[in-house]
Amino acid sequence: MTLIDGKQTAKEIKEELKVKVAKLKAQDHPVPHLAAILVGNDGGSVTYVNAKVKACAYVGMESTLITYDDQVMEKTLLDKIEELNNDDNISGFIVQLPLPKHIDERKITLAISPSKDVDGFHPENVGRMSLGLPAFVSATPNGILELLKRHEIPTEGKDCVVIGRSSIVGTPMSILLSRNTPTGNATVTLVHSRTKKLEEICKRADIIIAAIGKPHFVKAEMVKEGAVVIDVGTTRVEDNTKKSGFKLYGDVDFETVSKKVSFISPVPGGVGPMTIASLLLNTYKACVQSSDKLSIPQK
Ligand code: NAP
């Protein structure tokens, strides 16, 4: 069994980006600048956003964190989004989800300019991705493709099962793996809470990608000998023995499943760091694309 080390792979990507960003700076080119809007103080969201800001600093990108309390009005957020859409200093931005119930997430997503939508959640980017056109691809599925590619795990002709059909992970993942591309060309089955015989379907898979948020849902008996298993799940479970007060659980029962598979990604240290690395890649791309549009010369 080979451990798919997302932390190490993300570090490699960040080192590559560091060099590229330094090159932009040396050319007096605008530096990629990520803005993040954080609403409320949900522990997970605060941790993720802080990690994104820290990662920007590591690769030499700029970042701006905009925070609101959880009573913020939808209109205030929409006005801020409009401001960021029109701010030439901002390459791209994200609105950390989930948002409080009184805010319509769909409306917020639609308000973000597709050219600055580095999370890849805007329908225009989702549509373009589905058609194989240039797009910002949602950071988590893009990070998973990068993990597969950099671990030289072939997908062509493989039977792949994606568990979970969320619009930010499962659905785009299933589309990306089924496209006619070097990291696609798989035969993909997307399963969810209404799927019958889910265990049987999983058992046939060469590659399983679990994104449901149910700790240890994927057990050894659901997995074929030698399969590749990618665990996206991150569920916080209270644990007083930990300094943080919680332990992070994946969707896969790592202990038993790892004994049967050829490759497996752990939680933590698997997909999570790759999501951040992908966001940085998208921000770099947004910066270069917007400069191209403004005809800023690159030496
Ligand atoms: P989500 O919106 O919470 O949706 C969960 C999906 O799982 C739904 O499609 C649901 O089916 C399906 N599901 C739930 N219970 C199931 C069951 N018993 N059998 C089969 N399918 C079931 O999903 P998400 O936002 O993609 O998040 C999934 C997990 O990934 C969470 O733990 C989240 O924290 C984690 N995550 C991690 C990262 C990262 O960077 N590491 C990024 C994003 C998400 P229905 O559609 O039928 O309800």
Side-chain angles (χ1 to χ4, degrees), residues 264-280:
I264 185 166
S265 74
V267 173
V271 173
M274 290 301 292
T275 297
I276 296 178
S278 277
L279 179 69
L280 297 180

Side-chain angles (χ1 to χ4, degrees), residues 179-212:
R179 288 186 327 184
N180 183 358
T181 58
T183 42
N185 274 329
T187 304
V188 182
T189 309
L190 181 62
V191 300
H192 45 77
S193 69
R194 300 291 178 271
T195 301
K196 294 197 175 97
K197 301 187 179 165
L198 186 146
E199 284 80 1
E200 274 176 40
I201 296 169
C202 287
K203 191 123 204 210
R204 292 200 298 267
D206 300 307
I207 301 171
I208 294 178
I209 296 177
I212 55 174

